[in-house]
Amino acid sequence: MVSLSALLSSVSILAAVFVPAVLADNPINPPFAYGSTKVRGVNLGGWLVLEPWITPSLFENTGNSAIVDEWTFGQLQDRNTAFAALTNHWNTWITEQDFIDIANAGLNHVRIPIGYWAFEVAAGEPYISGQLPYLQRGIVWARAHGLKVIVDLHGAPGSQNGFDNSGHRISFPQWHSNASNVARTNAILKEIVATFINDQDVVTVIAPLNEPAGFDGADVLSVVRQYWYDSYGNIRFPYGTSQQSNTLVLLHDAFQPLSSWQGFQTAPQWQGVAMDTHIYQMFSQDEVSRSNQQHIQAACNMASELSSFDLWTIVGEWTPAATDCAKYLNGRGVGARFDGSYPGSTRVGSCNGITGSASSFSASYKTFLRQYWEAQTITYEKGAGWIQWTWKAENADDWSYQAGLRGGWIPQNPTQRQYPNICG
């Protein structure tokens, strides 16, 4: 008997020519009403996958400016020193109190990024493992406090995008060009699914890969599409039989327009598939040069695309921050477009008072953050919902949900609006 993943693989090889002729699956019955109840959540960024801009102290305390990601964190310092720093970080950056606070803020989901190296490290890879027990602890806390969890594979072997948040900051991603990288990723995804197979009451969503670099061309996208087919089989059919899970498969748009995915893994042939799109307005000169009102309007303008797409669409990353001013946001040792310190950029203004501690934020800036937050959440709820990046950061309060609650630009109840008509 052909396994479902093999069937999907053989079918999807022909996907460029034929519509995949997979028998219709049963609609899933998850314990959260995706599509009718809005996803309102937050990412636990920088916890189990390090990011220099979220925890700059963890990197600066190494005394080595060449340590710029989790790969070099394990490679360029004493292993015992690195492991001790990581263990302390895992134990303290996110605790049960954070889950309590997230639930008390009226949110219903947490998205937890995890790297492949939590499950498997090959010879020659300097990653330090040990994250998995903390992910499992987080699921216990989520269950205790009524939150659903999206387990998000944030870094794959070879790096799927070359970003520091994939674990390995490199000039060009290598995941897609090496078949063994993809095979390892499939095996790791199966391990993730098996690990949480009895936690479907809490782990309601698995995201098989964060932000593959579709902007690098057709070679990447063809591998991504095949991997999405394989991931569907691995997530929805984890029992080795025709029995299906109730786990939602959350694909990423690979930085392509949603319209380019029209008709991909849609019902009735495919069930329980959602699309993740990430919306940021600071990673280009054009975006970072927009006025506050232009940022708000650009967010509002997303409504029709999100509401009309043919899969449940979740904005799985976004932020009320409108600039790239946060220290190390573009990478450790890399400057910001906004203040002209990023190579080749044109200065827009000073970063003083728009990132760092909220104690430096003016009343008018906080008003903008509130307006921009509301414009985005109103708009993203035209789709299936939203998950803000990120819950907390050491020194970038403009990005922090926790800081926004304290500072008043994020409401204690996410449905509360001061500007209900901001998008017209």
Side-chain angles (χ1 to χ4, degrees), residues 263-317:
F264 188 78
Q265 293 197 12
T266 50
Q269 288 87 354
W270 313 82
Q271 299 286 350
V273 182
M275 186 61 75
D276 180 13
T277 190
H278 296 173
I279 300 176
Y280 291 118
Q281 292 190 42
M282 76 283 289
F283 293 117
S284 70
Q285 185 69 44
D286 169 67
E287 290 169 311
V288 88
S289 301
R290 293 172 182 168
S291 68
N292 287 350
Q293 187 53 46
Q294 287 172 326
H295 281 294
I296 289 168
Q297 191 58 51
C300 295
N301 289 347
M302 295 292 299
S304 62
E305 184 179 8
L306 293 171
S307 63
S308 63
F309 188 60
D310 56 14
L311 295 174
W312 294 327
T313 306
I314 298 170
V315 182
E317 292 188 24

Coordinates of all heavy atoms in Angstrom, one line a residue, residues 263-317:
G263 N -6.0 28.7 -5.1 CA -6.3 27.4 -5.5 C -5.4 26.3 -5.0 O -5.5 25.1 -5.3
F264 N -4.4 26.7 -4.1 CA -3.4 25.8 -3.6 C -4.0 25.1 -2.3 O -4.3 25.8 -1.4 CB -2.1 26.5 -3.3 CG -1.0 25.6 -2.9 CD1 -0.3 24.9 -3.9 CD2 -0.6 25.5 -1.6 CE1 0.8 24.1 -3.6 CE2 0.5 24.6 -1.3 CZ 1.1 23.9 -2.2
Q265 N -4.1 23.8 -2.3 CA -4.5 23.0 -1.2 C -5.9 23.5 -0.6 O -6.0 23.7 0.6 CB -3.4 23.0 -0.1 CG -2.2 22.2 -0.5 CD -1.3 21.8 0.6 OE1 -1.6 21.9 1.8 NE2 -0.1 21.4 0.2
T266 N -6.8 23.7 -1.5 CA -8.1 24.2 -1.1 C -9.1 23.0 -1.0 O -8.9 21.9 -1.6 CB -8.7 25.2 -2.2 OG1 -8.5 24.6 -3.5 CG2 -7.9 26.5 -2.1
A267 N -10.2 23.2 -0.2 CA -11.2 22.2 -0.1 C -11.9 22.1 -1.4 O -12.0 23.0 -2.2 CB -12.2 22.7 1.0
P268 N -12.5 20.9 -1.7 CA -12.6 19.8 -0.7 C -11.5 18.8 -0.8 O -11.4 17.9 0.0 CB -13.9 19.1 -1.2 CG -13.9 19.3 -2.7 CD -13.3 20.7 -2.9
Q269 N -10.6 18.9 -1.8 CA -9.5 17.9 -1.9 C -8.6 18.0 -0.6 O -8.0 17.0 -0.2 CB -8.6 18.2 -3.1 CG -9.3 17.8 -4.4 CD -10.2 18.9 -5.0 OE1 -10.3 20.0 -4.3 NE2 -10.8 18.7 -6.2
W270 N -8.4 19.2 -0.1 CA -7.6 19.4 1.1 C -8.4 20.1 2.2 O -9.2 20.9 1.9 CB -6.4 20.4 0.7 CG -5.8 20.0 -0.6 CD1 -6.2 20.3 -1.9 CD2 -4.6 19.2 -0.8 NE1 -5.3 19.8 -2.8 CE2 -4.3 19.1 -2.2 CE3 -3.7 18.6 0.1 CZ2 -3.3 18.4 -2.7 CZ3 -2.6 17.9 -0.4 CH2 -2.4 17.8 -1.8
Q271 N -8.2 19.6 3.4 CA -9.0 20.1 4.5 C -8.0 20.6 5.6 O -7.0 20.0 5.9 CB -9.9 19.1 5.1 CG -10.9 18.6 4.1 CD -12.0 19.5 3.8 OE1 -12.2 20.5 4.5 NE2 -12.9 19.2 2.8
G272 N -8.4 21.7 6.3 CA -7.6 22.1 7.5 C -6.3 22.7 7.1 O -5.3 22.5 7.7
V273 N -6.3 23.5 6.0 CA -5.1 24.3 5.6 C -5.4 25.8 5.7 O -6.5 26.3 5.3 CB -4.8 23.9 4.1 CG1 -3.5 24.7 3.7 CG2 -4.6 22.4 3.9
A274 N -4.4 26.5 6.3 CA -4.5 27.9 6.4 C -3.2 28.5 5.8 O -2.2 27.9 5.7 CB -4.7 28.3 7.8
M275 N -3.3 29.8 5.4 CA -2.1 30.5 4.9 C -1.7 31.6 5.9 O -2.5 32.3 6.4 CB -2.5 31.1 3.6 CG -1.3 31.8 2.9 SD 0.1 30.6 2.4 CE -0.7 29.7 1.0
D276 N -0.4 31.6 6.1 CA 0.2 32.6 7.0 C 0.9 33.6 6.1 O 1.7 33.3 5.2 CB 1.3 31.8 7.9 CG 2.0 32.7 8.8 OD1 1.6 33.9 9.0 OD2 3.0 32.2 9.4
T277 N 0.6 34.9 6.4 CA 1.3 36.0 5.7 C 1.8 36.9 6.8 O 1.2 37.1 7.8 CB 0.3 36.7 4.7 OG1 1.1 37.6 3.9 CG2 -0.8 37.5 5.5
H278 N 3.0 37.4 6.5 CA 3.7 38.3 7.5 C 3.7 39.7 6.9 O 4.2 39.9 5.8 CB 5.1 37.8 7.8 CG 5.1 36.5 8.5 ND1 6.3 35.8 8.7 CD2 4.1 35.7 9.0 CE1 5.9 34.6 9.3 NE2 4.6 34.6 9.5
I279 N 3.3 40.7 7.7 CA 3.1 42.1 7.2 C 3.9 43.0 8.0 O 3.6 43.3 9.2 CB 1.6 42.5 7.2 CG1 0.8 41.5 6.3 CG2 1.5 43.9 6.7 CD1 -0.7 41.8 6.3
Y280 N 5.0 43.5 7.4 CA 5.9 44.5 8.0 C 6.0 45.7 7.1 O 6.1 45.5 5.8 CB 7.3 43.9 8.3 CG 7.3 42.8 9.4 CD1 7.7 41.5 9.1 CD2 6.9 43.1 10.7 CE1 7.7 40.5 10.1 CE2 7.0 42.2 11.7 CZ 7.4 40.9 11.4 OH 7.4 40.0 12.4
Q281 N 6.2 46.8 7.6 CA 6.4 48.0 6.8 C 7.6 48.8 7.2 O 7.6 50.0 7.4 CB 5.2 49.0 7.0 CG 3.8 48.5 6.4 CD 2.8 49.6 6.4 OE1 3.0 50.7 6.1 NE2 1.6 49.2 6.8
M282 N 8.8 48.0 7.2 CA 10.0 48.8 7.5 C 11.3 48.2 6.9 O 12.4 48.6 7.2 CB 10.3 48.8 9.1 CG 10.7 47.6 9.7 SD 9.4 46.4 10.0 CE 8.5 47.2 11.2
F283 N 11.1 47.2 6.1 CA 12.3 46.5 5.5 C 12.6 46.9 4.1 O 13.2 46.2 3.3 CB 12.2 45.0 5.7 CG 12.2 44.5 7.1 CD1 11.1 43.9 7.7 CD2 13.3 44.7 7.9 CE1 11.1 43.5 9.0 CE2 13.3 44.3 9.2 CZ 12.2 43.7 9.8
S284 N 12.2 48.1 3.7 CA 12.6 48.7 2.5 C 12.7 50.2 2.7 O 12.1 50.8 3.6 CB 11.7 48.4 1.3 OG 10.4 49.0 1.5
Q285 N 13.4 50.9 1.8 CA 13.5 52.4 1.9 C 12.1 53.0 1.7 O 11.8 54.0 2.4 CB 14.5 52.9 0.9 CG 14.7 54.4 1.0 CD 15.5 54.8 2.2 OE1 16.5 54.1 2.6 NE2 15.1 55.8 2.9
D286 N 11.4 52.5 0.8 CA 10.0 53.0 0.5 C 9.1 52.9 1.8 O 8.5 53.9 2.2 CB 9.4 52.3 -0.6 CG 7.9 52.6 -0.8 OD1 7.6 53.8 -1.1 OD2 7.1 51.7 -0.5
E287 N 9.1 51.8 2.4 CA 8.2 51.6 3.5 C 8.7 52.4 4.7 O 7.8 53.0 5.4 CB 8.2 50.1 3.9 CG 7.5 49.2 2.9 CD 7.7 47.7 3.1 OE1 8.9 47.3 3.3 OE2 6.7 47.0 3.1
V288 N 10.0 52.5 5.0 CA 10.4 53.2 6.2 C 10.3 54.7 6.0 O 10.3 55.4 7.0 CB 11.9 52.7 6.5 CG1 12.9 53.6 5.8 CG2 12.1 52.7 8.0
S289 N 10.1 55.1 4.8 CA 9.9 56.6 4.5 C 8.5 57.0 4.5 O 8.2 58.2 4.4 CB 10.5 56.9 3.1 OG 11.8 56.5 3.0
R290 N 7.5 56.1 4.8 CA 6.1 56.5 4.8 C 5.8 57.4 6.1 O 6.4 57.2 7.1 CB 5.2 55.3 4.9 CG 5.3 54.5 3.6 CD 4.6 53.1 3.7 NE 4.7 52.3 2.5 CZ 4.3 51.1 2.4 NH1 3.9 50.4 3.4 NH2 4.5 50.4 1.2
S291 N 4.9 58.3 5.9 CA 4.3 59.0 7.0 C 3.5 58.1 7.9 O 3.1 57.0 7.5 CB 3.5 60.2 6.6 OG 2.3 59.7 5.9
N292 N 3.2 58.5 9.1 CA 2.4 57.7 10.0 C 1.0 57.4 9.3 O 0.5 56.3 9.4 CB 2.1 58.5 11.3 CG 3.3 58.5 12.2 OD1 4.3 57.8 11.9 ND2 3.3 59.3 13.3
Q293 N 0.4 58.4 8.7 CA -0.9 58.2 8.0 C -0.7 57.2 6.9 O -1.6 56.4 6.6 CB -1.5 59.5 7.5 CG -2.9 59.4 7.0 CD -3.8 58.7 8.0 OE1 -3.8 59.0 9.2 NE2 -4.6 57.7 7.5
Q294 N 0.4 57.2 6.2 CA 0.6 56.3 5.0 C 0.8 54.9 5.6 O 0.3 53.9 4.9 CB 1.8 56.7 4.2 CG 1.6 58.0 3.4 CD 2.8 58.5 2.7 OE1 3.9 58.4 3.3 NE2 2.7 59.0 1.5
H295 N 1.4 54.7 6.7 CA 1.5 53.4 7.3 C 0.1 52.8 7.6 O -0.2 51.7 7.3 CB 2.4 53.4 8.6 CG 3.8 53.5 8.4 ND1 4.5 52.4 7.8 CD2 4.8 54.4 8.7 CE1 5.8 52.7 7.8 NE2 6.0 53.9 8.3
I296 N -0.7 53.7 8.3 CA -2.0 53.3 8.6 C -2.8 52.9 7.4 O -3.5 51.9 7.3 CB -2.7 54.4 9.5 CG1 -2.1 54.5 10.8 CG2 -4.2 54.1 9.6 CD1 -2.4 55.7 11.6
Q297 N -2.8 53.7 6.4 CA -3.5 53.5 5.2 C -3.1 52.2 4.5 O -3.9 51.4 4.0 CB -3.4 54.7 4.2 CG -4.4 54.6 3.1 CD -5.9 54.5 3.5 OE1 -6.3 55.4 4.4 NE2 -6.6 53.5 3.1
A298 N -1.8 52.0 4.4 CA -1.3 50.8 3.8 C -1.8 49.5 4.5 O -2.1 48.5 3.9 CB 0.3 50.8 3.8
A299 N -1.9 49.6 5.8 CA -2.5 48.5 6.6 C -3.9 48.3 6.2 O -4.4 47.2 5.9 CB -2.3 48.7 8.1
C300 N -4.7 49.4 6.2 CA -6.1 49.3 5.9 C -6.3 48.7 4.5 O -7.3 48.0 4.3 CB -6.8 50.7 6.0 SG -6.8 51.4 7.7
N301 N -5.4 49.0 3.6 CA -5.6 48.6 2.2 C -5.4 47.1 2.0 O -5.7 46.6 0.9 CB -4.6 49.3 1.3 CG -4.9 50.8 1.1 OD1 -5.9 51.3 1.5 ND2 -3.9 51.5 0.6
M302 N -5.0 46.4 3.1 CA -4.8 44.9 3.0 C -6.2 44.2 3.1 O -6.2 43.0 2.9 CB -3.9 44.4 4.0 CG -2.4 44.9 3.9 SD -1.6 44.2 2.5 CE -1.7 42.4 2.9
A303 N -7.2 44.9 3.5 CA -8.5 44.2 3.9 C -9.0 43.3 2.8 O -9.4 42.2 3.0 CB -9.5 45.2 4.3
S304 N -9.1 43.8 1.5 CA -9.8 43.0 0.5 C -9.0 41.8 0.2 O -9.6 40.7 0.0 CB -10.0 43.9 -0.7 OG -8.8 44.3 -1.3
E305 N -7.7 41.9 0.1 CA -6.8 40.7 -0.2 C -7.0 39.6 0.9 O -7.1 38.5 0.6 CB -5.3 41.1 -0.3 CG -4.4 40.0 -0.7 CD -3.0 40.4 -0.9 OE1 -2.6 41.6 -0.5 OE2 -2.2 39.6 -1.3
L306 N -7.0 40.1 2.1 CA -7.1 39.1 3.2 C -8.5 38.5 3.3 O -8.6 37.3 3.6 CB -6.8 39.8 4.6 CG -5.3 40.2 4.8 CD1 -5.2 41.1 6.0 CD2 -4.4 39.1 4.8
S307 N -9.5 39.2 3.0 CA -10.9 38.7 3.2 C -11.3 37.9 2.0 O -12.2 37.0 2.1 CB -11.9 39.9 3.3 OG -11.9 40.7 2.1
S308 N -10.6 38.0 0.8 CA -11.1 37.3 -0.4 C -10.3 36.1 -0.7 O -10.6 35.3 -1.6 CB -11.0 38.3 -1.6 OG -9.7 38.7 -1.8
F309 N -9.2 35.8 0.0 CA -8.3 34.7 -0.3 C -9.0 33.4 0.0 O -9.9 33.4 0.9 CB -7.0 34.8 0.4 CG -6.0 33.7 0.0 CD1 -5.6 33.7 -1.3 CD2 -5.5 32.8 0.9 CE1 -4.7 32.7 -1.7 CE2 -4.6 31.8 0.5 CZ -4.2 31.8 -0.8
D310 N -8.7 32.3 -0.7 CA -9.5 31.1 -0.6 C -9.1 30.1 0.5 O -9.7 29.0 0.6 CB -9.6 30.4 -2.0 CG -8.2 30.1 -2.5 OD1 -7.2 30.1 -1.8 OD2 -8.1 29.8 -3.7
L311 N -8.1 30.5 1.3 CA -7.8 29.7 2.5 C -8.0 30.6 3.7 O -8.0 31.9 3.6 CB -6.4 29.2 2.5 CG -6.0 28.1 1.5 CD1 -4.5 27.8 1.6 CD2 -6.8 26.8 1.7
W312 N -8.2 30.1 4.9 CA -8.2 30.9 6.1 C -6.8 31.6 6.1 O -5.8 30.9 6.0 CB -8.3 30.0 7.4 CG -9.6 29.4 7.5 CD1 -10.9 29.9 7.2 CD2 -9.9 28.1 8.1 NE1 -11.9 29.0 7.5 CE2 -11.3 27.9 8.1 CE3 -9.1 27.1 8.7 CZ2 -11.9 26.7 8.6 CZ3 -9.7 26.0 9.2 CH2 -11.1 25.8 9.2
T313 N -6.8 32.9 6.3 CA -5.5 33.6 6.2 C -5.3 34.2 7.6 O -6.1 35.0 8.1 CB -5.6 34.7 5.2 OG1 -6.0 34.1 3.9 CG2 -4.3 35.4 5.0
I314 N -4.1 33.9 8.2 CA -3.7 34.4 9.5 C -2.5 35.2 9.3 O -1.5 34.8 8.6 CB -3.4 33.2 10.4 CG1 -4.6 32.4 10.7 CG2 -2.8 33.7 11.8 CD1 -4.4 31.1 11.4
V315 N -2.5 36.5 9.8 CA -1.3 37.3 9.7 C -0.5 36.9 10.9 O -0.7 37.4 12.1 CB -1.7 38.8 9.7 CG1 -0.4 39.7 9.6 CG2 -2.6 39.1 8.6
G316 N 0.5 36.0 10.7 CA 1.2 35.3 11.8 C 2.3 36.1 12.3 O 2.9 35.8 13.4
E317 N 2.7 37.2 11.7 CA 3.7 38.2 12.2 C 3.3 39.6 11.7 O 3.0 39.8 10.5 CB 5.1 37.8 11.8 CG 5.7 36.6 12.4 CD 7.2 36.4 12.1 OE1 7.8 37.4 11.8 OE2 7.6 35.2 12.1

